Amino acid sequence: MASSTRPSFSIDASFVADGVPETEKTSKESDNTYILRPIFQQRFRPSVVKDCIHAVLKEELANAEYAPEEMPELTKRLSENIKDKLKEMGFDRYKMVVQVMIGEQRGEGVFMAARCFWDVDTDNYTHDVFMNDSLFCVVAAFGCFYY
C-alpha cells in the first residue's frame, strides 16, 4: 500500500481589529518612492560642497605638521568629518564617497586622477587642495544619486 504524504505548513500571524496582520502594521520599512532624478534643491552642488570641504580642511590642518606615523589616522578622521558634514547638508538619496590624500610638502608635483561610471545628469564631484609649509592635502568628494 502506497502511502501519500502531504506537505504540511502553518501560518502564524496575529491580526488586529481591522483585519491587517500585525507584522505589516509594525513594519518600519519606508515605501519605495521610485524617484529617478533628485529634486532640484537636493542635487549635489559642487560649489557648495567645495566650500564645505575647504572649511573643514582649514579648521583641521591650519597648524598641522607632517608626521608620517600620524597621517593614516588624520586622513581617516578628515574623510569621516567631511562625509558627516556633507550628509548634514541634505543631499537626500546620495551616496557620498570622500577620498583624502596627504603628502609631505617638498616642492614636487603630484597628479591625482579618478575614473567613474555614472549618470551625468545626477552624479557629480568636486575637489579641493590645501597646502601649508609642511604638507599638502587633496580631497575629492563624489556624490552618486541612489536610485
Side-chain angles (χ1 to χ4, degrees):
M1 179 194 268
S3 67
S4 64
T5 58
R6 288 185 173 181
S8 64
F9 60 92
S10 63
I11 298 175
D12 184 22
S14 55
F15 290 89
V16 289
D18 60 358
V20 179
E22 190 175 342
T23 55
E24 288 182 22
K25 286 196 166 207
T26 59
S27 175
K28 300 282 186 198
E29 294 179 27
S30 62
D31 293 334
N32 195 341
T33 57
Y34 299 106
I35 295 174
L36 297 179
R37 298 283 178 250
I39 299 168
F40 183 74
Q41 293 83 3
Q42 295 174 345
R43 290 184 69 118
F44 186 89
R45 296 180 304 277
S47 61
V48 175
V49 172
K50 185 170 186 156
D51 291 342
C52 176
I53 293 170
H54 190 74
V56 172
L57 292 179
K58 202 172 180 182
E59 178 185 322
E60 295 277 337
L61 299 178
N63 299 319
E65 294 287 324
Y66 184 82
E69 59 278 348
E70 296 174 10
M71 292 305 110
E73 181 59 37
L74 181 59
T75 56
K76 288 178 190 175
R77 188 173 73 235
L78 280 173
S79 64
E80 289 295 324
N81 287 350
I82 292 169
K83 188 174 67 168
D84 292 342
K85 295 274 187 190
L86 294 180
K87 285 181 180 180
E88 291 172 8
M89 294 178 78
F91 297 117
D92 291 345
R93 297 184 71 144
Y94 271 90
K95 172 108 173 150
M96 298 295 176
V97 178
V98 178
Q99 182 180 12
V100 177
M101 183 178 72
I102 298 177
E104 186 174 12
Q105 187 71 278
R106 293 184 177 178
E108 299 173 354
V110 99
F111 288 101
M112 182 174 162
R115 294 184 133 210
C116 301
F117 182 72
W118 64 18
D119 185 347
V120 295
D121 293 334
T122 59
D123 305 337
N124 216 329
Y125 83 101
T126 190
H127 71 281
D128 195 29
V129 178
F130 177 89
M131 288 190 277
N132 66 16
D133 293 336
S134 178
L135 57 83
F136 68 90
C137 179
V138 180
V139 175
F142 301 87
C144 301
F145 187 70
Y146 210 59
Y147 293 100

